[in-house]
Amino acid sequence: MKIIDATKLTKDLLEEITTRSGLDNSSSRETAEAIISEVKRDGLEAVIQYAQKFDGYKRGNIRLSDAEIADALTELDTRSKNAINHAFKNILAFHKPQKPVDYTVETQEGVFCERRFIPIENVGLYIPGGSAVLPSTVLMLGVPAMIAGCKRIVLVTPASEKIEPAVIYAATLCGISEIYAIGGAQAIAMLAYGVKGVEKVDKIFGPGNQFVTAAKMVVSTDGLGCMIDMPTGPSELLIIADDTANPGFVASDLLSQAEHGVDSQTILLSTSQKVINEVEKELVKQISLLSRKKEIEGCLLNSKLVLVANIEDAFTISNKYAPEHLIINTENARLLKGKVINAGSVFIGQWSPESAGDYASGTNHSLPTSGYARATGGVAVESFMKGITFQELSRGGLEGLADTIITLAKIEKLDAHASAVKQRILQ
Amino acid sequence: MKIIDATKLTKDLLEEITTRSGLDNSSSRETAEAIISEVKRDGLEAVIQYAQKFDGYKRGNIRLSDAEIADALTELDTRSKNAINHAFKNILAFHKPQKPVDYTVETQEGVFCERRFIPIENVGLYIPGGSAVLPSTVLMLGVPAMIAGCKRIVLVTPASEKIEPAVIYAATLCGISEIYAIGGAQAIAMLAYGVKGVEKVDKIFGPGNQFVTAAKMVVSTDGLGCMIDMPTGPSELLIIADDTANPGFVASDLLSQAEHGVDSQTILLSTSQKVINEVEKELVKQISLLSRKKEIEGCLLNSKLVLVANIEDAFTISNKYAPEHLIINTENARLLKGKVINAGSVFIGQWSPESAGDYASGTNHSLPTSGYARATGGVAVESFMKGITFQELSRGGLEGLADTIITLAKIEKLDAHASAVKQRILQ
């Protein structure tokens, strides 16, 4: 861990604390591009070859049969089902009000302008696999897609043979039945361009490893019409804690972030040297009880424990950094909400660990990393819809706009734009 | 023009009509990458060198002085000012209701989840220059940025010396005073990374040529935190017309799209052979009166006039193509609105030419092209904001979630996630 004294917050120090350990993604991009080219050329065959190579794929069909889905639902234990049901219920309750509202404005007499939200027809949800089993991510993407009303929701996840029952159960709750046991860059290419038996989708959601992320970047910038939710990097947590914070709680939150992997980013900003010292001790104590020691120890090497002069400076740092997750563990934390300008999801007070939001409070855990929280929020219902605008002018309405359109077209030297008005009303 | 009989709409024919003439963007990308690398390395110096090379830049300061802005406002004629004021007023009226609403839900006892919309602090608006002068694009980006409440709105546009007064006037209406006479990929790099005297921005908006578009793709996928509005390609118009459509109106709309450039895409779908024949004649007649003949003739070479069996087939084609602009010029056009699934902006009935929406009806003209309308709408107020989620749990709230969080953490093999709960309530 790096202990930093930022009680005199210079510009250089601010830069040092908020600069992320940059990753060179160029080799992932090259690998992803190669896989994508092959899938575009050879279709399903290439998809299966890469699945065999990377995921030990040995299934007959890439798509799960109805019988496989039914078996998984029977196989899953009741306690797991109840937990998934509970999370589903809270996520549904929080996301329902996000459904955007259509409206019409008569901007001037005879000029009616409208915005209508239409669900994206075909969406693809990428659920990581490998060592992880992530029913929570299924819910975080599947619930808003379901509320939006997407006609076709496709789930892809890497597997050698069977997909974990918890993933299938969560998918079923969200009304998803088109599930493929394919992951990696080959799954992204399959979703973006389609292969035999799998129609392409309009937008791809979900986190993944560096190759999945690189593949999402490539397919979303080739001009061929497939979008992605957002660029995703390693997960992040920033905690602001004053001298009232319980060091055991703070340490447990840092550890819950650290176990995601060695490239996770954790920062503690505290006004109390005592809290920082005790958090260090707690980290050592608690880590001995946890299983993902390798990930945690790797991550903590790059962690920063920062002493700040006051809460104002803490928010200056936090807003510049724009963390994916922000925990405000201070007295009257609630009163500090207004100071948050850049963050993905915020946890208020000592009883709000990040893991509550990761799973079950109701908020979404698909959040912007790498500083993108300065520009976007997390996945929401409107991420699965698009606002189409409509305008209907009466003859009188067009007459009322004619001079303005013609004048602007003249300024912009686009006389055919003016002509479309003149043809109609000035003949 | 290509005349296509699609009265028997086979799958192949559907594919042929809706496939865009693909562009190979790899060389633009290489050029953009080279410029971006130089700007990252040499800063302002590289920006100015490229501006000199590509735009004949010969100013002293890249930023417009207050005096220059004041002079431009005096210089602009009253008719132009009135037209810009009029468009501003309608765009403001239509965009105001888009401001998203914050809300809080108690998802279960003691678990409060909230979404708050916060304006993006720093946004950059790219306004193309060259032969074009585009005050309308300033309004289309500046008005929603103003409504969102962005703290810093930066405008960049290429210029050798002076920026057109109409552009400056439109910027001033939107409260924009930070204006740089810089365009091209070098302007995108300057906005994304900052140079001496110009702080970087969080999100870049606006259309541009192939190098600008390529630069936007590059800076938004490098993992360094700058986002863009959307990928943009050549502009597009699809018209659906029945036998009641006035061929002169239809032709004038096709021409207004065609004058944007040879790579513009125009498609007419009609149930009437007579209308198609007369539109052809009208095109020839009207083009003789227009000035941008080279652009129009180049574009029309790739245009498609398609005879369809019925309106249903027309919408099948249109929704598969997902046009940036869709004109429905039919009897009772309004009743067909519900058939629109994929489109950027829709123009209903014979008195609603595309140029009305390009300038002054009130809707936004920054719209998805290249089929991205399947996945996103145009620029709107929420494009300039981000929805941050907050959660605050009471001790009882966390207790009510504990078993679910611990169970899900166990399924996902993330025991530090469970530990963050246990540390708090199970000690």
Side-chain angles (χ1 to χ4, degrees), chain A residues 29 79-80 83-84 86 90 94 97-98 103 105 107-108 111 113-116 118 120-121 131 133-136 166 202 217 220-221 223-227 231 249 252-253 255-256 259-260 286 290-292 334 337-338 340-348 350-353 355-361 363 370 372-377 380 382 386-395 398 400-401 403-405 407-409 411-417 420-421 423-424, chain B residues 29 79-80 83-84 86 90 94 97-98 103 105 107-108 111 113-116 118 120-121 131 133-136 166 202 217 220-221 223-227 231 249 252-253 255-256 259-260 286 290-292 334 337-338 340-348 350-353 355-361 363 370 372-377 380 382 386-395 398 400-401 403-405 407-409 411-417 420-421 423-424:
Chain A
R29 190 181 168 99
R79 189 177 171 191
S80 297
I84 295 171
H86 186 182
N90 284 355
F94 181 65
Q98 290 174 2
Y103 73 96
V105 172
T107 53
Q108 69 179 57
V111 180
C113 296
E114 181 181 1
R115 188 153 80 141
R116 277 192 191 195
I118 312 268
I120 300 173
E121 274 195 295
S131 68
V133 182
L134 298 173
S136 62
D202 306 317
M217 302 290 201
S220 66
T221 55
L224 294 177
C226 185
M227 298 199 91
F249 297 5
S252 73
D253 291 329
L255 291 166
S256 76
E259 75 172 336
H260 279 301
Q286 292 183 28
L290 299 171
S291 55
R292 293 169 69 91
R334 181 184 311 172
K337 281 198 283 189
V340 179
I341 298 173
N342 298 318
S345 195
V346 186
F347 301 79
I348 304 290
Q350 62 175 328
W351 305 111
S352 307
S355 52
D358 287 343
Y359 288 129
S361 66
T363 62
S370 313
Y372 289 107
R374 289 187 281 265
T376 185
E382 72 267 18
K386 65 236 174 191
I388 302 181
T389 51
F390 294 78
Q391 50 252 286
E392 180 172 5
L393 284 66
S394 64
R395 188 187 165 112
L398 183 59
L401 279 182
D403 190 57
T404 289
I405 297 170
T407 303
L408 284 164
I411 296 174
E412 302 195 353
K413 296 173 191 145
L414 294 170
D415 61 355
H417 279 60
V421 176
Q423 282 288 331
R424 283 168 164 88
Chain B
R29 189 180 169 102
R79 189 176 172 191
S80 297
I84 294 170
H86 186 182
N90 284 354
F94 181 64
Q98 289 173 3
Y103 73 94
V105 173
T107 52
Q108 68 180 57
V111 180
C113 296
E114 180 180 1
R115 189 154 79 142
R116 278 192 190 194
I118 312 270
I120 300 174
E121 274 195 295
S131 67
V133 183
L134 298 172
S136 62
D202 307 317
M217 302 289 201
S220 66
T221 54
L224 294 175
C226 185
M227 297 198 90
F249 297 4
S252 74
D253 291 330
L255 291 165
S256 76
E259 75 172 336
H260 279 300
Q286 292 182 29
L290 298 171
S291 56
R292 293 169 68 92
R334 180 183 313 173
K337 281 199 283 190
V340 178
I341 298 174
N342 298 318
S345 195
V346 185
F347 300 78
I348 305 289
Q350 62 175 326
W351 304 109
S352 307
S355 52
D358 287 342
Y359 288 129
S361 65
T363 61
S370 313
Y372 289 108
R374 288 187 282 265
T376 184
E382 73 266 19
K386 66 239 174 189
I388 302 181
T389 50
F390 295 78
Q391 49 250 289
E392 180 173 3
L393 282 67
S394 65
R395 189 188 165 112
L398 183 59
L401 280 182
D403 189 58
T404 290
I405 297 170
T407 304
L408 284 165
I411 296 173
E412 302 196 351
K413 296 173 194 143
L414 295 171
D415 61 354
H417 280 58
V421 176
Q423 281 290 329
R424 282 167 165 88

Side-chain angles (χ1 to χ4, degrees), chain B residues 72-87:
Chain B
L73 303 187
T74 316
E75 199 181 313
L76 190 68
D77 64 285
T78 305
R79 189 176 172 191
S80 297
K81 280 184 185 167
N82 286 343
I84 294 170
N85 289 345
H86 186 182

